[in-house]
Amino acid sequence: MTRHDSQTRRTDIDRQWWKEAVVYQIYPRSFNDSDGDGVGDLQGITEKADYLADLGVDVVWLCPVYESPNADNGYDISDYRSIMDEFGTMADWEALLDALHERDIRLIMDLVVNHTSKQHEWFQQSRRREDGYDDYYHWVDGTPSEPPNNWESIFGGPAWTYDDERGQWYLHLFDPEQPDLNWRNPEVRDAVTEAVTWWLEKGIDGFRLDAIDHLSKSDAYPDGDPDSAIVGIEHFSHGPRLPEYLDELSAAFEGYDTMIVGEMGGADIEQVDDYTGEDGVDMIFQFDHMGVSVGPNGRWDPTQFGEWELTDLKEVISQQQDEIDWPALFFGNHDQPRLVSHFGDDETYRTESATLIATFLLTLRGTPYIYQGEEIGMTNTEFDSLEAIDDPMTVGIVEDLIADGVVDSYEEVRDLVDYQSRDHARTPMQWDDTENAGFTADDPWFDVNDNYDEINVESALADTDSIWHHYETLIELRHSEDVLVYGDYDLLLPDHDQFYAYTRTLENETTLVVLNWSDECSTFDCPSVPTADANVVVSNYDDTPSDPTGHAFRPYEAVVYQL
Ligand code: TEU
């Protein structure tokens, strides 16, 4: 099913389609609204199937489209086998799958099975202690005034809520509307496997497994270290039975030609390979590189955020490249700030820095994931009040910071929110410069970023030097050059504070990537690499000389050379 067969295809490589694929992540609510209700939908995605094919991506990852009351925009599923009304019908889903497959694009979906929605019938039956469902969730005795332990939710507040109907506490690592399934119960695991098989039989090509580092909890529910950024995390991340659960889950995929990527917010680089391979998943989202801009107290410390050193990024990425069997490559997603605002310069050098990050993403070893809007350089927006925020995580954390007296008001934490909120990634896709950026004919469910008149797909497609066309070129290059997929990664100039440079080598082929990750010029000189016969393959400036040595790289100049 590979569309872009290399001219000189090697036969001596352990090829996997998911290693050669470029993935495009869609947040359906914010992608394209076909029926004018202000909310993106499945038909809206189908309308853009040609757009995705033109960009050249091989896989679409769809964030949850299952039935959900939307306490966390679909990450709270109330029925694993039906489609959320706002997004359309099962027939719409089937039509989308067909439209993508006709264009040789595969479809994977989020599978959220650490927890369900409170509205899921399993929870409703469980809270009534119905036969067979009694033990589907983590229920613990206790008086209504005192939670069973000090664990905190990842979204702020306690990780326990008292349920009056059942007269017990239930565990929720995320929102109170997202009770954690009890994976110790084999019937829960069977029910999940059945849902997975149901979708595989419908023709889905794989899954992104949400928050799977949390499936196994400590045997009892002991108090966590009160000084931890998320209290209790040592008891609910990478629990003792996680390998067993993943092994069991992965058995459900056997016999299907799938791609499975697991999200593990809390996995160390050293842990990743324990969960991949035959008894596990194909690859894991590991997050250390996303943390270079936050302090030791984590992502939501209002006193420390936003500063980062290129040498730190090099160290983390190089460790991932060297130690992880097959990395999942990403610099943004629906939970992160916009990549050009996070790692680039979203004002003066927006085009240059966005194309630099694109060059980086698409020339590293691993499977690259592009998040919707990155291909046109969409930026962070601004939130002038807590009411302007939709994301339950941002709201919960800000409320905690105020309740704990860390800050007195939203104003004091606004800079952090404007830097970090998950909502930056969730503003509607900017298709053109008409009202609401062409996303919807009605009022959009969430405000469009004001800069849509300048940053939009229509103008990007019309400009051959745009960020969009740079993505297109790099994706095509990756598809035609095995060295970019399978070649070894070797870091150059590890201590240089402006250049991020590396080679990719496959037998006698070497590609050199030089990124001037700075708004200042710098002259490249790296005696260990012979560059006299180099050729420029792709550059984000149009007059880059063929030999990088001695060239004064301009702000965010990013070049791929063949040596
Ligand atoms: O996010 C999971 C998530 O928040 C973790 O990565 C967490 O930060 C980490 O484990 C703490 O160490 C996923 C989805 O991507 C997100 O959109 C959902 O809100 C969340 O799960 C709940 O389903």
Side-chain angles (χ1 to χ4, degrees):
M1 205 159 152
T2 320
R3 273 172 301 147
H4 311 267
D5 284 347
S6 162
Q7 298 291 313
T8 50
R9 270 181 83 79
R10 292 166 182 274
T11 50
D12 54 345
I13 293 173
D14 172 27
R15 294 182 179 279
Q16 301 287 350
W17 63 263
W18 44 264
K19 291 186 174 176
E20 299 179 6
V22 174
V23 184
Y24 187 91
Q25 182 192 352
I26 291 183
Y27 198 67
R29 202 168 191 77
S30 303
F31 190 63
N32 186 33
D33 173 20
S34 73
D35 60 3
D37 64 355
V39 174
D41 48 47
L42 291 169
Q43 286 193 22
I45 302 170
T46 305
E47 283 174 5
K48 299 295 181 184
D50 281 333
Y51 170 80
L52 298 166
D54 289 347
L55 185 59
V57 299
D58 310 276
V59 176
V60 163
W61 151 25
L62 215 53
C63 289
V65 294
Y66 314 88
E67 195 176 297
S68 164
N70 280 312
D72 186 20
N73 286 346
Y75 284 88
D76 47 323
I77 297 171
S78 53
D79 184 349
Y80 288 101
R81 291 179 177 78
S82 72
I83 301 291
M84 190 190 304
D85 280 347
E86 282 178 309
F87 289 171
T89 62
M90 194 58 77
D92 293 334
W93 184 88
E94 285 158 7
L96 172 62
L97 182 71
D98 288 346
L100 294 176
H101 281 178
E102 275 163 24
R103 290 162 179 81
D104 289 343
I105 299 174
R106 305 196 204 218
L107 178 64
I108 69 170
M109 290 211 293
D110 249 290
L111 182 73
V112 188
V113 288
N114 173 68
H115 44 269
T116 67
S117 161
K118 251 181 112 169
Q119 304 311 319
H120 196 293
E121 62 171 19
W122 296 343
F123 187 82
Q124 296 303 321
Q125 286 164 301
S126 193
R127 74 187 332 183
R128 295 193 295 266
R129 297 180 191 266
E130 279 180 26
D131 217 18
Y133 294 93
D134 198 16
D135 203 20
Y136 254 54
Y137 295 83
H138 293 266
W139 294 105
V140 177
D141 282 334
T143 57
S145 55
E146 186 156 2
N149 66 23
N150 67 353
W151 294 2
E152 283 173 357
S153 151
I154 292 164
F155 284 0
W160 299 93
T161 291
Y162 191 80
D163 186 58
D164 285 327
E165 193 167 338
R166 173 147 163 161
Q168 275 184 311
W169 293 86
Y170 68 88
L171 178 68
H172 52 86
L173 298 185
F174 296 92
D175 194 84
E177 293 297 314
Q178 294 168 296
D180 278 52
L181 281 165
N182 175 16
W183 274 66
R184 296 167 191 160
N185 180 349
E187 286 175 25
V188 168
R189 306 201 296 276
D190 286 348
V192 167
T193 298
E194 278 169 29
V196 163
T197 308
W198 192 85
W199 283 101
L200 291 169
E201 285 297 309
K202 284 189 76 66
I204 197 165
D205 300 300
F207 293 100
R208 178 257 190 195
L209 304 176
D210 184 70
I212 43 166
D213 42 339
H214 304 302
L215 298 183
S216 166
K217 280 84 176 170
S218 291
D219 286 340
Y221 302 99
D223 273 341
D225 171 3
D227 297 327
S228 171
I230 302 171
V231 177
I233 189 125
E234 67 277 28
H235 299 299
F236 56 72
S237 203
H238 304 280
R241 295 182 66 184
L242 184 56
E244 173 197 336
Y245 297 159
L246 289 184
D247 186 8
E248 203 173 310
L249 188 57
S250 74
F253 307 121
E254 263 166 40
Y256 297 92
D257 183 19
T258 54
M259 157 176 169
I260 309 294
V261 50
E263 185 217 22
M264 287 200 177
D268 293 335
I269 292 173
E270 296 80 16
Q271 283 174 300
V272 167
D273 285 354
D274 296 344
Y275 301 113
T276 58
E278 241 165 56
D279 298 334
V281 300
D282 295 320
M283 61 190 123
I284 297 279
F285 288 120
Q286 202 281 335
F287 284 78
D288 277 6
H289 60 297
M290 301 304 283
V292 293
S293 57
V294 305
N297 297 328
R299 178 171 175 175
W300 294 101
D301 179 353
T303 64
Q304 206 177 348
F305 64 93
E307 298 290 321
W308 63 279
E309 300 292 331
L310 185 62
T311 43
D312 290 341
L313 185 71
K314 287 194 228 185
E315 200 180 317
V316 177
I317 294 280
S318 299
Q319 201 193 340
Q320 292 170 339
Q321 291 282 297
D322 293 341
E323 294 180 22
I324 295 176
D325 185 44
W326 192 257
L329 307 167
F330 69 101
F331 296 99
N333 65 31
H334 65 294
D335 294 332
Q336 301 293 335
R338 286 284 172 181
L339 116 189
V340 69
S341 303
H342 195 182
F343 291 112
D345 172 346
D346 63 6
E347 290 176 356
T348 316
Y349 295 109
R350 189 182 63 88
T351 301
E352 292 81 354
S353 60
T355 48
L356 176 143
I357 300 166
T359 309
F360 191 41
L361 174 74
L362 290 155
T363 59
L364 285 170
R365 196 178 68 79
T367 299
Y369 290 75
I370 299 167
Y371 180 67
Q372 69 184 38
E374 286 175 1
E375 75 276 26
I376 54 168
M378 280 177 64
T379 65
N380 278 3
T381 182
E382 288 178 349
F383 300 103
D384 56 13
S385 68
L386 197 52
E387 290 67 47
I389 293 163
D390 174 72
D391 170 29
M393 181 187 218
T394 308
V395 172
I397 301 279
V398 170
E399 283 175 353
D400 268 10
L401 289 170
I402 294 174
D404 294 348
V406 179
V407 295
D408 290 329
S409 65
Y410 176 72
E411 268 314 302
E412 284 179 36
V413 80
R414 181 173 166 179
D415 284 349
L416 174 63
V417 171
D418 280 345
Y419 184 72
Q420 224 18 312
S421 176
R422 307 198 303 176
D423 276 343
H424 293 297
R426 301 171 182 191
T427 62
M429 182 72 181
Q430 295 163 205
W431 294 103
D432 58 39
D433 64 2
T434 62
E435 212 186 340
N436 303 321
F439 162 72
T440 180
D442 196 354
D443 280 343
W445 75 275
F446 200 47
D447 280 351
V448 174
N449 190 318
D450 286 342
N451 59 22
Y452 70 91
D453 50 346
E454 184 206 341
I455 303 173
N456 62 67
V457 169
E458 191 178 63
S459 64
L461 291 176
D463 171 7
T464 50
D465 289 331
S466 68
I467 299 168
W468 194 95
H469 285 293
H470 212 71
Y471 270 88
E472 182 195 28
T473 304
L474 288 162
I475 293 170
E476 221 174 274
L477 180 70
R478 194 176 172 96
H479 283 143
S480 66
E481 298 297 330
D482 279 341
V483 64
L484 290 182
V485 179
Y486 295 107
D488 292 338
Y489 162 95
D490 287 291
L491 179 68
L492 306 167
L493 307 174
D495 302 321
H496 202 287
D497 58 10
Q498 253 178 269
F499 282 120
Y500 194 140
Y502 48 97
T503 53
R504 303 290 315 279
T505 310
L506 190 64
E507 292 178 13
N508 54 2
E509 276 179 59
T510 304
T511 294
L512 167 69
V513 180
V514 182
L515 312 171
N516 177 25
W517 210 308
S518 161
D519 57 6
E520 284 170 16
C521 294
S522 186
T523 301
F524 184 75
D525 181 24
C526 180
S528 64
V529 182
T531 59
D533 297 326
N535 286 311
V536 174
V537 184
V538 180
S539 170
N540 60 353
Y541 280 75
D542 58 13
D543 51 357
T544 301
S546 59
D547 186 349
T549 304
H551 171 50
F553 278 72
R554 289 152 289 185
Y556 295 100
E557 188 164 2
V559 190
V560 182
Y561 301 89
Q562 198 167 34
L563 294 188

